[in-house]
């Protein structure tokens, strides 16, 4: 079964405590991306990756890091979380190339993060 | 700047028809997507338009006019399970997706 798996699904943490949200896909998709979703603002892209070892900033990359060492995994790292990073996070994958961008996105179930 | 506008919220009656509009102003155009998102869940793909006209898929249809920067999603024979948010997204000239804030559709019996 085609899947995009995010962990953890829910997390409450404190300011400054480093955390990683993992994302794994079994569809062999080249494109992977992280979004955050806040009420009234819609989906905002944090980082994306067109392939292994290739990552690019999205619209709101400040305070986040990513890596793409393997095709299937694209972890999101918050080195020093702050309360304004409290949000619902989605990982998404798609087929696509650098000359065409992402095709239809398949999203993970979401990770709800609260930073106190 | 780039912008996508959708109504924030709409209400419709079970069994009726509803049209959700999306207008966009982007640097270039390489396709428009509609996604459905139930509360607390992930968005799921509904439709894709890159050429002008109507794309029909069961009870759902999506229309595009590139000259007007306009699309709509038409939902027929509304069911309670259609209560969700509907997200419009445009792929711009750099092949990046620009997202609208979404339209929350409330279905009443």
């Amino acid at each position: 079964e085609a899947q995009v798996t995010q962990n953890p699904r829910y997390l409450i943490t404190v300011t400054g405590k480093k955390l990683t949200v993992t994302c794994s896909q079994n569809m062999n998709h080249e494109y992977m991306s992280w979004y955050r979703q806040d009420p009234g603002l819609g989906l905002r892209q944090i980082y994306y990756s067109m392939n292994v070892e290739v990552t690019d900033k999205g619209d709101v990359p400040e305070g986040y890091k990513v890596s793409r060492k393997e095709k299937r995994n694209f972890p999101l790292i918050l080195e020093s979380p702050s309360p304004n990073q409290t949000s619902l996070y989605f990982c998404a994958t798609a087929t696509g190339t650098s000359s065409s961008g992402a095709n239809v996105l398949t999203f993970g179930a979401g990770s709800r993060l609260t930073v106190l | 700047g780039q912008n996508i506008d959708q109504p924030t919220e709409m209400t419709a009656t079970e069994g009726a028809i509803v049209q959700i509009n999306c207008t966009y102003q982007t640097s270039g155009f390489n396709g428009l997507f509609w996604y459905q998102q139930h509360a607390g869940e992930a968005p799921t793909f509904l439709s894709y338009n890159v050429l002008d006209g109507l794309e029909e898929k069961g009870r759902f249809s999506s229309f595009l006019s590139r000259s007007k920067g306009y699309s709509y999603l038409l939902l027929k024979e509304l069911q309670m399970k259609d209560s969700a948010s509907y997200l419009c997204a445009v792929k711009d000239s750099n092949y990046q997706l620009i997202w609208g804030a979404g339209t929350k559709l409330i279905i009443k019996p």
Side-chain angles (χ1 to χ4, degrees):
Chain A
E1 180 190 351
Q3 280 188 329
V4 181
T5 304
Q6 293 181 228
N7 280 297
R9 293 288 315 282
Y10 302 92
L11 180 64
I12 300 175
T13 189
V14 295
T15 299
K17 185 175 182 182
K18 180 179 178 179
L19 68 93
T20 299
V21 186
T22 64
C23 176
S24 180
Q25 52 107 351
N26 64 0
M27 292 173 284
N28 203 36
H29 284 172
E30 297 85 5
Y31 179 92
M32 297 187 75
S33 179
W34 277 103
Y35 288 92
R36 61 177 290 174
Q37 187 174 41
D38 302 289
L41 294 179
L43 288 167
R44 292 184 291 168
Q45 190 176 54
I46 302 170
Y47 271 94
Y48 66 98
S49 168
M50 292 304 306
N51 215 325
V52 176
E53 302 292 359
V54 179
T55 62
D56 283 291
K57 295 179 180 179
D59 299 317
V60 288
E62 296 78 19
Y64 304 95
K65 287 175 58 177
V66 292
S67 67
R68 187 91 183 273
K69 297 177 182 174
E70 311 164 274
K71 198 171 189 178
R72 64 181 291 124
N73 294 322
F74 191 46
L76 179 69
I77 303 158
L78 286 72
E79 294 271 4
S80 183
S82 62
N84 64 12
Q85 292 179 297
T86 293
S87 187
L88 177 59
Y89 291 87
F90 288 104
C91 177
T93 77
T95 58
T97 67
S98 56
S99 59
S100 69
N103 296 319
V104 173
L105 293 172
T106 300
F107 287 83
S111 297
R112 186 167 293 280
L113 171 66
T114 301
V115 183
L116 301 176
Chain B
Q2 307 202 90
N3 193 53
I4 295 185
D5 287 318
Q6 307 177 232
T8 302
E9 188 173 295
M10 300 181 70
T11 302
T13 304
E14 190 177 16
I17 299 173
V18 71
Q19 178 176 311
I20 301 173
N21 296 326
C22 170
T23 59
Y24 61 89
Q25 295 168 308
T26 57
S27 58
F29 178 85
N30 281 296
L32 184 145
F33 297 84
W34 284 97
Y35 286 82
Q36 180 190 58
Q37 185 178 26
H38 286 100
E41 297 184 9
T44 56
F45 171 73
L46 283 178
S47 68
Y48 173 68
N49 295 72
V50 66
L51 299 177
D52 291 349
L54 189 68
E55 294 278 345
E56 297 187 75
K57 198 184 285 187
R59 294 189 298 114
F60 292 11
S61 303
S62 56
F63 172 83
L64 174 67
S65 169
R66 288 173 295 171
S67 62
K68 295 183 179 179
Y70 169 68
S71 173
Y72 67 73
L73 182 68
L74 191 71
L75 290 73
K76 302 177 184 176
E77 302 169 13
L78 285 170
Q79 302 175 10
M80 298 303 293
K81 68 178 181 179
D82 298 330
S83 292
S85 289
Y86 292 86
L87 314 180
C88 174
V90 171
K91 190 185 283 189
D92 70 10
S93 58
N94 293 319
Y95 303 102
Q96 296 303 305
L97 282 175
I98 312 301
W99 293 85
T103 299
K104 182 178 181 180
L105 178 62
I106 299 168
I107 309 296
K108 295 187 174 179

